[in-house]
Amino acid sequence: LRNAPDSRYGTLFGILDAPSVPDQIHSDVWRSLMLMPTAGSHLSAIETQRFADWSTVYGPEAGPWRSLYSLQIVDLLMLPPATDCGRIREAMGWRRRFIATGGFEQLCLFCLT
């Protein structure tokens, strides 16, 4: 499900990143974000590992909200809910590339900071 325009995600993340936003607004915006289809360009970038540095996906550069959103995508790609052998093989390949491109190392750094 990748059909909502990416500008909507930018708007929601902008609200989440704005200073002095009340906790209830954060909660409502995050819930709304979780009800939307996954952002197509973000999912595609993580799926194909099309970026120079994992810290732009999760970590200080990405910010806490985008990092959490990205980590949910990483979780989905690592452990797909399907029992389809093809999806499982794809996930195994994705995990190997995730480790080889520094994704796991950045995940450890993210968790330790």
Side-chain angles (χ1 to χ4, degrees), residues 1-112:
L1 300 172
R2 305 177 197 193
N3 51 4
D6 284 349
S7 63
R8 292 182 187 168
Y9 298 94
T11 300
L12 293 175
F13 281 119
I15 294 168
L16 291 169
D17 293 337
S20 306
V21 173
D23 288 344
Q24 185 58 48
I25 299 294
H26 276 142
S27 180
D28 292 344
V29 170
W30 183 255
R31 267 197 304 278
S32 297
L33 191 60
M34 294 296 97
L35 292 172
M36 294 171 62
T38 303
S41 63
H42 199 69
L43 173 61
S44 177
I46 293 174
E47 218 169 19
T48 60
Q49 300 177 15
R50 244 188 2 240
F51 37 81
D53 184 358
W54 278 98
S55 68
T56 62
V57 178
Y58 50 85
E61 287 184 44
W65 296 102
R66 282 183 176 84
S67 294
L68 181 57
Y69 187 78
S70 296
L71 289 170
Q72 290 182 345
I73 294 171
V74 167
D75 179 55
L76 177 69
L77 293 170
M78 282 190 169
L79 300 169
T83 56
D84 177 359
C85 290
R87 292 273 320 261
I88 292 170
R89 272 193 294 280
E90 286 175 17
M92 288 170 40
W94 190 88
R95 288 190 297 261
R96 281 193 291 277
R97 289 188 311 279
F98 177 72
I99 291 169
T101 61
F104 181 72
E105 182 179 352
Q106 180 59 36
L107 177 60
C108 291
L109 290 172
F110 177 73
C111 291
L112 294 173

